[in-house]
């Protein structure tokens, strides 16, 4: 949950972002936002490089749309339903699923990627 602090000065709102990456890879690809997919609801997953997770963490700090949210992240071309993700990650498949949860987020920039994320209750 968000908290507010007033330690020696004006109140400051503290928020959070919970990032749940798919299977982590050691690729150092520096993916563009357009190659990523965010999803809420734990219905899909995929693979994502550790360097891309680090970049996502930094970009979230600058994006109010990402505050107070929880979401999964993965390369869009590795997206699979949760039930089949283990085998897909082991075999390093790159054909995305056609299954849609309705909560996928894609964008050409970090701002549009985070836009429309639902805040946690």
């Amino acid at each position: 949950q968000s908290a507010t602090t007033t330690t020696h000065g004006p109140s400051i709102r503290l928020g959070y972002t919970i990032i749940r990456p798919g299977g982590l890879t050691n690729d150092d690809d520096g993916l563009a936002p357009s190659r990523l997919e965010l999803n809420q609801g734990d219905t899909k997953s995929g693979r994502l490089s550790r360097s891309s997770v680090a970049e996502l963490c930094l970009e979230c700090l600058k994006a109010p749309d990402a505050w107070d949210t929880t979401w999964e992240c993965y390369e869009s071309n590795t997206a699979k339903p949760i039930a089949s993700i283990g085998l897909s990650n082991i075999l390093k498949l790159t054909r995305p699923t056609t299954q849609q949860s309705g909560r996928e987020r894609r964008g050409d920039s970090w701002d549009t990627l985070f836009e429309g994320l639902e805040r946690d209750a």
Side-chain angles (χ1 to χ4, degrees):
Q1 287 193 350
S2 297
T4 302
T5 183
T6 57
T7 307
H8 307 296
S11 71
I12 300 169
R13 185 187 166 284
L14 301 176
Y16 66 90
T17 301
I18 299 173
I19 300 172
R20 298 172 15 162
L24 297 173
T25 69
N26 290 323
D27 300 338
D28 190 20
D29 48 15
L31 285 178
S34 61
R35 292 189 43 206
L36 300 177
E37 182 174 284
L38 309 182
N39 193 20
Q40 294 179 290
D42 202 21
T43 58
K44 290 168 63 176
S45 191
R47 291 184 307 282
L48 188 64
S49 71
R50 287 171 170 80
S51 62
S52 292
V53 174
E55 190 170 358
L56 269 168
C57 290
L58 293 174
E59 293 297 332
C60 285
L61 295 172
K62 301 182 279 185
D65 283 340
W67 298 349
D68 301 331
T69 60
T70 300
W71 35 267
E72 295 77 39
C73 56
Y74 42 86
E75 292 180 48
S76 58
N77 70 338
T78 67
K80 298 285 184 213
I82 291 292
S84 64
I85 197 62
L87 184 59
S88 176
N89 281 350
I90 290 169
L91 298 175
K92 299 185 178 184
L93 300 177
T94 58
R95 277 178 272 138
T97 183
T98 56
Q99 173 189 338
Q100 298 291 311
S101 69
R103 299 178 83 182
E104 293 87 355
R105 294 289 170 259
R106 293 186 182 182
D108 291 330
S109 70
W110 293 110
D111 288 337
T112 57
L113 184 65
F114 298 133
E115 190 176 281
L117 288 170
E118 293 181 25
R119 301 224 186 270
D120 296 338

